[in-house]
Amino acid sequence: RGAHEYIEQLIASAHVMIVGLDAAGRVRVFNRAAESITGYSSDELSGIDWFERIVPKDRYPHVWEVFQEHQRATGAMPATFENPILTKRGEERFVSWQNSTISSPGAEISTISFGIDVTQRKRVEGVLQARLRLLEHAGSHSTDGLLTAALDEIEALTGSTIGFYHFLASDQHTLSLQS
C-alpha cells in the first residue's frame, strides 16, 4: 500500500505531463502537469477518448495516420513522438512524448506517456528558420521583394493575414501602402 501511494504522489507531482491510456485510448491517468498544460481536469477527461478530445482527427489527420500505421505495424504507440494537442481553450500546444506500452494481464492502463510542452521551442525554431530564409532572400531581391517576403513569413508564423508596409518615394513626399 505504501509503495502504491508513493507512486501516485510521484505521478501527481511530476513536472511533465503523464497520461495513461487504456487499450481503447481512454484516459486513465492524468497528472497535474497535464491538467495545467491542457486546461482540463483529471475528472473531466477520465474515461474520455484522448485522441477524440485532445488530438481531434479533423484538425490533426496526420497525427492519426501516424498512430494508426504504427498500431497496425507494432500494436503499440511510437516510443517517441512529437505532435500538437488542442487545449480546453482551443489553443494549440506542441508536446514531445515518450511512450511505453504496459502489457500486464488485466491491467487497466495499456500505455503510459510522458510529455514535455515544447511549444515555445517550436516557435523559436520557426522564427530562426524564417530569419534564415529572409537572409537568403535579401541577397537576390529588391527591398520591395524583401518586405513582401517578410510579411509572408510573419503571416505564416502568426496565422494573421493582416499586414502592410509603407514606402516613401524618392521625392520624400509620396507615400504608398502595400498589403
Side-chain angles (χ1 to χ4, degrees):
R1 178 141 177 101
H4 181 72
E5 288 174 1
Y6 179 71
I7 290 170
E8 284 186 0
Q9 283 182 323
L10 285 175
I11 290 171
S13 63
H15 294 287
V16 298
M17 292 178 72
I18 300 178
V19 178
L21 305 177
D22 65 15
R26 292 182 302 257
V27 176
R28 297 297 177 208
V29 174
F30 198 70
N31 73 341
R32 284 191 289 251
E35 289 179 329
S36 176
I37 291 167
T38 67
Y40 288 101
S41 72
S42 179
D43 289 340
E44 286 177 290
L45 289 183
S46 183
I48 301 296
D49 185 310
W50 170 262
F51 297 99
E52 288 290 336
R53 180 70 55 91
I54 304 296
V55 191
K57 188 175 191 172
D58 62 330
R59 184 160 178 165
Y60 306 115
H62 172 70
V63 175
W64 278 62
E65 290 168 14
V66 169
F67 277 109
Q68 288 174 342
E69 182 59 36
H70 206 277
Q71 285 281 60
R72 276 193 288 273
T74 67
M77 289 175 60
T80 60
F81 197 70
E82 191 170 291
N83 66 279
I85 64 169
L86 193 60
T87 69
K88 186 175 182 177
R89 293 188 308 212
E91 296 172 331
E92 187 172 80
R93 309 292 300 175
F94 286 87
V95 179
S96 179
W97 297 101
Q98 297 289 318
N99 304 305
S100 297
T101 301
I102 300 169
S103 58
S104 60
E108 188 174 294
I109 302 169
S110 68
T111 62
I112 191 83
S113 301
F114 300 87
I116 298 172
D117 185 346
V118 294
T119 305
Q120 188 60 32
R121 184 200 77 197
K122 297 282 278 182
R123 287 182 183 145
V124 169
E125 287 173 356
V127 169
L128 290 173
Q129 291 169 353
R131 290 175 74 183
L132 286 173
R133 285 189 298 271
L134 288 172
L135 282 172
E136 291 172 1
H137 193 83
S140 59
H141 291 81
S142 67
T143 303
D144 288 358
L146 179 59
L147 289 173
T148 300
L151 284 175
D152 292 343
E153 291 289 351
I154 292 167
E155 179 181 338
L157 289 170
T158 64
S160 173
T161 57
I162 300 172
F164 62 91
Y165 55 90
H166 306 275
F167 283 106
L168 193 57
S170 58
D171 65 8
Q172 297 290 309
H173 298 290
T174 305
L175 181 68
S176 64
L177 289 172
Q178 301 288 324
S179 63

